[in-house]
Amino acid sequence: MAQIKYHILVCGGTGCRASQSEDILKNFQELIIDKGLGTEVQVVKTGCFGFCEKGPIVKMMPDNTFYTKVSPADCEEILNEHIIKGRKVTRLLYTDPETKEQVSDSKHMEFYKKQIRIALRNCGFINPENIEEYIGRDGYQALGKVLTELTPDATIDIIKKSGLRGRGGGGFPTGLKWEITRKVKADQKYVICNADEGDPGAFMDRSVLEGDPHSVLEAMAINGYCTGASKGLVYIRAEYPLAVERLKIAMRQAREFGLLGQNIMGTGFNFDVEIRYGAGAFVCGEETALIHSMEGKRGEPTVKPPFPSESGYLGKPSNVNNVETYANIPVIIIKGAEWFSAIGTEKSKGTKVFALAGKINNVGLIEVPMGITLREVIYEIGGGIKNDKKFKAVQTGGPSGGMLTEKHLDTPIDYDNLIAAGSMMGSGGMIVMDEDDCMVSMAKFYLQFTVEESCGKCSPCRIGNKRLFEILEKVTKGQGTLEDLDKLKNLSNVIKDTSLCGLGQTSPNPVLSSLMNFPDEYNEHVVSKKCRAGSCKSLMQYIIDPDNCIGCTLCARNCPVNAISGERKQPHIIDQEKCIKCGACMEKCKFNAIHIN
Amino acid sequence: MEKIKSLADLKKMQGDLRAKMELREKSNHPDSLIQVKVAMATCGIASGAKEVMEVFVEEFSKRNIEAVVTQTGCMGYCYAEPTVEITKPGCDPVTFGYVDVKKASKLIDKYILNNELVDGIIPVNYASIDKK
C-alpha cells in the first residue's frame, strides 16, 4: 500500500483567502486526483502562517519548502516539478531581501528564526476544521490530565507558577484571576472568552480562532473545571465570519467527540460553550461593557468593583480572559509551569503574539518571547522599513497605547518596560511609522477612533476626547498656538484621571506619548506652521520652480480646480488660495519642476 | 462517531491520529532525525527511484525508525541512478549510487541501523555553498 509521502499545507487564513487560497486548495485537490497522486499526497487547509505580506502561502512537507505568492495557476507546476520531479519551483521561493538569496526552508527565514510559537503552535500546522489533527497533536490531553489527575487548586497553582499574564492588554496575572473566580460561591458561574478584538491593525485573536479554535475551547473547559463553571461563552465580533464559522465547526466536532457536553471523559464534569456576537464596538472589549452587551443591554461599562470574577454575566461570577491567554493554557498544563516560566523576562513570562502592520516590509503575525527588543522585531523579523525609509516610531497597544521611538529600539519588550516607556502591551497590534508619518496626525487618527468608539456614558471621555480632537485638528491645520499644546496636555491628564473605564483612561495616551517623544514636531506645527513629514495638507504648498518649468501647460490642463496659470513656454504659477493640494500637477510634471514646500 | 468516554480513549485515539501528523511533526526538527533524500529527476525516476523511495517510507514506518524521506532533483550522478543521500544526525551526508529496491533495504539494515558502509558510495567531489 502506498503511504502518504507529502503534505501540502495551504494557508486558509483571512489574508491568504482574500488572495484566492481557496482556489489554490481546490486546484491542488483536483489535480492530485487527475494525476493519480491521491494515495501519496495530502492537501491540508491550515490557519495563518503569519507571513501575510507574501501570501498566499503554500508549504510543502516534509522538506519545509515555503512557497510565497502562489496563484491558483501555479498548482500544476508545483505538483509536476516539486512532487513528481523533485525540483523546487524556484520562482515561488522566498528571496531574502538582504542577501538576495532564495530561501527554500522556512526554518532559515529571518522572519521565523527568532519566533517561538506557543499560542500559535498549531496555526499553519493543522487543519483547524478537523478535530482529529488537533487530537493528534496532544489536543484535549491537558483537559484529560486536569480532570483525572489534578484538583482545581493544583491546576490554578500551575497557571500561577507559570507567570502567565492576561494577553488582552492589562497583564493581570491569569492564575490569580482564576483563583478569585473560584473562591466566590455561587450556584452558576461562567467562563467568558473575550474575542472582541477592536484595535485598528490587530488580528492576533482572529488568527488564533481561525487557525486553532480547539485550543481555546479546551482552555475554557479547563477554566470551567477550575472555577466551577459549567458554561462558557465566547464573545466575538460578527465581523469575523471565518473565525465564527471555524469556532462553530470546532464546537460541533468537540460535542460529537464527547469533549464538550455532559460527563466529559467519564469524569462527571459537564461543560459546554455558546457564542455571543458583538456588533463591533471597541468599548465592548472592556470586560464590564462586554458582559452588558452579552446580556442584551447597551455595551456600556460599569464601575469596578465589583469585578466580573465576583459579579459578572447575569450577576454571576464570570472569568473573562482573552483568546490568546486561553490558547497558552493547554501547553502550560502539559509542559509544566517551569517550562513556560523559563521563557521571557522576570515579570513577563512566555511569549506574545504581535500583528505587525504599517510601514514594515514583512507585514504579518508573529509570536516572540517576552524580552525581545523592538529592534529585533522590526529589523530582523519585520525585515526593516518599507522602501528603505527611516524608522520613526511604532505604536503599540492600539489607540490605548503610545509611541515607542528610536531610543526605545533596544528596550526589551515586556509589560512593565512598555508602561515605563509611556506605552503599553495592549493586545498586540504594532503599527510601524516612518519619516513620512506626521506624529500629530497619527495622534489625531487614534483620537478620532476613540471619539467614534466612546460609548458616551461618562463626560470626560465623551466631551473631553472630542475637545482634544478639535485642538489636534486646529494644530494640523496650522491654526494652533503654544497654549493649545499646554491645553492638550492638561486635558489629556484630566481625561485619564476621571474617565469611567479603560477606554477613556487610556484614550489620551497617543497624544501624551507623541507630545513627550516628538515635542519639536508639535512646536513646528504651531510656531513655524510646518509639517516635516509633509502629511498635513493645510501646512504644505505645491510650488513651481521657475528654473525647471518650461511652460508645457500639462499641469495647468490637469489641475481639477484651475489653480495653475501661465503663458505657454513661460513658467507657471499655482494660486495657493485655489489649490486643493491634490498633487495631480506634481504627478503629471515631466520636468521635476513642482515641489512641496 | 464513537464518543470519547475516558482519558484512555483519548490517548488511544491520539496514538492512532499521531501517525497521520508524523510527517509534519518530523519536519519541525529534521536535523535531529535521519534524513534520506532520493534523487528523483527524470533519470532517477526512469531507473526506479520511485520504488526505492517507497521502500524507505514503508520500512521506516514498519520498523518505527524516526526518519524523514524527501526527494531532491538530479544530483548529477545520472550514471549511478537511483542515488540516495543519507544524513544521520551529527554525521556528514553520504551518497549511495545504484540503489535498487534490494539495496534500499540493505542500506537500512547496514548503514542506518548499524553504521556499516555499503558498496556504491559516491565520493564527495564538490563543495557545498552552505559550508563556505
Side-chain angles (χ1 to χ4, degrees):
Chain A
M1 189 202 87
Q3 277 201 345
I4 297 281
K5 295 195 200 74
Y6 304 98
H7 288 179
I8 302 180
L9 310 187
V10 181
C11 178
T14 296
C16 288
R17 268 167 62 114
S19 2
Q20 292 185 297
S21 80
E22 296 271 89
D23 291 340
I24 295 174
L25 194 75
K26 206 174 98 227
N27 277 5
F28 271 130
Q29 277 159 348
E30 286 172 7
L31 284 165
I32 279 166
I33 293 168
D34 283 356
K35 293 182 189 292
L37 294 168
T39 53
E40 292 180 46
V41 183
Q42 188 193 349
V43 187
V44 186
K45 172 166 77 174
T46 70
C48 182
F49 284 93
F51 205 44
C52 312
E53 177 76 23
K54 298 278 182 200
I57 304 293
V58 171
K59 193 169 176 184
M60 314 292 284
M61 297 281 204
D63 50 300
N64 265 325
T65 304
F66 198 83
Y67 288 128
T68 56
K69 292 198 172 174
V70 179
S71 81
D74 296 327
C75 297
E76 175 134 35
E77 189 179 345
I78 292 177
L79 285 178
N80 282 342
E81 288 292 308
H82 194 113
I83 301 281
I84 298 178
K85 293 186 190 152
R87 291 193 291 233
K88 296 189 173 176
V89 184
T90 45
R91 71 182 171 86
L92 295 174
L93 291 175
Y94 171 69
T95 309
D96 188 305
E98 286 290 308
T99 59
K100 307 284 175 223
E101 268 174 31
Q102 286 187 320
V103 190
S104 57
D105 189 331
S106 56
K107 292 241 166 324
H108 298 137
M109 285 164 63
E110 290 293 333
F111 184 72
Y112 287 109
K113 270 188 194 164
K114 295 234 160 159
Q115 295 198 42
I116 299 182
R117 302 198 142 207
I118 298 176
L120 299 177
R121 64 195 177 280
N122 288 328
C123 277
F125 198 87
I126 63 166
N127 179 348
E129 295 177 12
N130 184 351
I131 191 173
E132 296 193 345
E133 296 208 341
Y134 182 67
I135 293 175
R137 279 211 107 192
D138 291 338
Y140 291 100
Q141 294 287 333
L143 179 61
K145 186 175 168 186
V146 302
L147 290 182
T148 55
E149 293 169 21
L150 297 169
T151 62
D153 287 320
T155 311
I156 290 177
D157 211 42
I158 295 176
I159 305 299
K160 276 169 94 176
K161 281 203 182 116
S162 74
L164 177 67
R165 293 169 69 174
R167 296 293 192 248
F172 191 80
T174 307
L176 189 60
K177 196 181 240 182
W178 290 26
E179 191 175 55
I180 297 169
T181 318
R182 171 167 173 74
K183 281 189 177 151
V184 182
K185 299 241 174 317
D187 53 342
Q188 175 73 56
K189 294 181 188 176
Y190 293 97
V191 180
I192 296 171
C193 174
N194 183 348
D196 188 74
E197 185 175 47
D199 308 19
F203 51 95
M204 296 76 55
D205 296 346
R206 194 196 75 211
S207 299
V208 170
L209 285 171
E210 285 175 4
D212 191 17
H214 284 287
S215 68
V216 176
L217 295 179
E218 183 180 1
M220 288 177 74
I222 293 172
N223 180 272
Y225 173 71
C226 292
T227 56
S230 59
K231 207 154 192 188
L233 298 159
V234 181
Y235 185 82
I236 185 167
R237 7 187 83 206
E239 67 209 59
Y240 277 1
L242 186 64
V244 170
E245 187 195 319
R246 297 218 170 127
L247 192 61
K248 278 187 178 163
I249 294 171
M251 283 159 54
R252 198 186 65 226
Q253 289 178 342
R255 282 188 202 116
E256 278 169 12
F257 276 64
L259 296 167
L260 280 181
Q262 301 292 310
N263 194 16
I264 294 170
M265 292 188 230
T267 58
F269 172 65
N270 307 325
F271 190 78
D272 211 335
V273 175
E274 280 176 32
I275 296 180
R276 292 284 187 277
Y277 299 102
F282 184 61
V283 72
C284 290
E286 200 282 336
E287 49 188 11
T288 59
L290 179 148
I291 287 168
H292 295 314
S293 169
M294 288 204 304
E295 290 167 337
K297 298 182 189 144
R298 251 170 201 259
E300 287 179 342
T302 41
V303 181
K304 294 192 275 190
F307 289 92
S309 290
E310 295 153 346
S311 170
Y313 184 62
L314 304 178
K316 305 289 183 189
S318 308
N319 186 88
V320 186
N321 277 135
N322 154 275
V323 172
E324 191 188 331
T325 315
Y326 282 125
N328 277 292
I329 301 286
V331 209
I332 294 176
I333 302 286
I334 290 185
K335 294 201 175 179
E338 288 75 29
W339 166 81
F340 189 79
S341 61
I343 303 165
T345 63
E346 197 195 335
K347 285 185 178 159
S348 305
K349 301 297 187 188
T351 57
K352 179 76 193 84
V353 181
F354 288 105
L356 276 184
K359 308 280 181 64
I360 190 152
N361 277 318
N362 300 339
V363 168
L365 193 72
I366 62 165
E367 182 169 354
V368 288
M370 296 275 190
I372 195 169
T373 63
L374 206 52
R375 189 184 299 279
E376 288 170 286
V377 170
I378 292 173
Y379 287 98
E380 293 179 34
I381 298 171
I385 309 298
K386 269 201 162 97
N387 302 322
D388 288 326
K389 296 265 181 178
K390 201 168 166 294
F391 167 78
K392 192 170 201 177
V394 57
Q395 173 87 10
T396 64
S400 312
M403 286 156 195
L404 301 172
T405 62
E406 226 177 336
K407 65 172 189 271
H408 303 113
L409 275 177
D410 293 308
T411 311
I413 299 174
D414 67 12
Y415 288 101
D416 310 294
N417 281 344
L418 287 187
I419 286 174
S423 182
M424 65 186 266
M425 182 71 80
S427 58
M430 264 199 187
I431 304 205
V432 182
M433 297 166 239
D434 68 8
E435 52 191 316
D436 292 342
D437 289 309
C438 162
M439 292 300 117
V440 186
S441 304
M442 287 313 288
K444 196 178 86 175
F445 166 78
Y446 283 112
L447 214 66
Q448 184 178 12
F449 180 83
T450 31
V451 166
E452 280 167 12
E453 293 292 342
S454 168
C455 74
K457 185 172 180 177
C458 72
S459 8
C461 176
R462 182 184 70 242
I463 304 170
N465 280 323
K466 178 81 178 151
R467 292 289 96 84
L468 266 189
F469 177 75
E470 285 164 0
I471 300 174
L472 285 174
E473 193 150 65
K474 227 173 116 186
V475 173
T476 53
K477 281 193 171 153
Q479 295 154 358
T481 59
L482 281 171
E483 284 119 56
D484 283 330
L485 300 189
D486 289 336
K487 243 190 244 165
L488 274 180
K489 207 174 204 168
N490 292 337
L491 185 53
S492 290
N493 285 324
V494 170
I495 297 172
K496 267 178 88 111
D497 290 344
T498 54
S499 286
L500 172 63
C501 82
L503 192 149
Q505 286 156 15
T506 56
S507 60
N509 281 352
V511 181
L512 287 173
S513 108
S514 55
L515 264 173
M516 184 174 78
N517 288 308
F518 300 96
D520 297 349
E521 237 173 275
Y522 275 88
N523 281 334
E524 278 170 18
H525 276 78
V526 295
V527 179
S528 40
K529 314 285 176 205
K530 269 201 178 122
C531 171
R532 64 169 86 170
S535 83
C536 291
K537 279 195 170 176
S538 312
L539 298 182
M540 62 189 205
Q541 287 184 329
Y542 283 91
I543 286 175
I544 298 177
D545 178 358
D547 294 338
N548 285 349
C549 180
I550 62 151
C552 71
T553 74
L554 194 60
C555 56
R557 277 181 281 140
N558 279 286
C559 177
V561 290
N562 292 323
I564 304 178
S565 57
E567 294 290 313
R568 271 177 71 95
K569 298 196 178 165
Q570 295 296 320
H572 282 46
I573 291 171
I574 302 176
D575 181 349
Q576 298 299 341
E577 294 285 299
K578 280 190 192 163
C579 175
I580 55 163
K581 288 146 193 171
C582 66
C585 50
M586 194 158 98
E587 246 167 62
K588 289 286 172 195
C589 181
K590 292 188 176 117
F591 305 94
N592 241 340
I594 300 179
H595 302 287
I596 297 174
N597 184 7
Chain B
M1 170 61 222
E2 190 72 5
K3 285 207 173 183
I4 295 168
K5 294 206 184 70
S6 65
L7 182 57
D9 275 4
L10 179 70
K11 288 209 160 132
K12 189 181 165 297
M13 183 183 241
Q14 186 206 15
D16 298 341
L17 293 171
R18 183 172 266 165
K20 284 192 189 168
M21 301 292 289
E22 209 160 46
L23 188 91
R24 268 178 262 168
E25 294 287 357
K26 282 181 189 163
S27 60
N28 260 347
H29 48 96
D31 299 340
S32 59
L33 298 171
I34 299 160
Q35 292 181 65
V36 177
K37 285 184 187 162
V38 184
M40 290 256 262
T42 309
C43 46
I45 296 171
S47 340
K50 230 173 154 56
E51 290 74 20
V52 169
M53 187 170 173
E54 207 99 323
V55 172
F56 280 112
V57 173
E58 279 168 19
E59 287 296 311
F60 286 151
S61 92
K62 222 187 275 168
R63 303 195 203 182
N64 262 332
I65 302 171
E66 289 255 292
V68 187
V69 185
T70 53
Q71 57 180 19
T72 69
C74 181
M75 294 195 217
Y77 313 115
C78 308
Y79 63 95
E81 291 294 348
T83 50
V84 171
E85 182 190 282
I86 301 177
T87 315
K88 299 178 81 170
C91 301
D92 281 335
V94 183
T95 308
F96 297 90
Y98 310 103
V99 183
D100 55 11
V101 173
K102 246 195 206 151
K103 193 157 168 191
S105 310
K106 205 168 153 191
L107 279 174
I108 298 174
D109 287 335
K110 300 223 157 166
Y111 182 62
I112 292 180
L113 293 178
N114 290 317
N115 248 337
E116 278 175 49
L117 290 175
V118 179
D119 279 353
I121 293 178
I122 300 174
V124 179
N125 53 5
Y126 57 85
S128 149
I129 51 163
D130 297 340
K131 290 187 187 146
K132 264 185 194 166

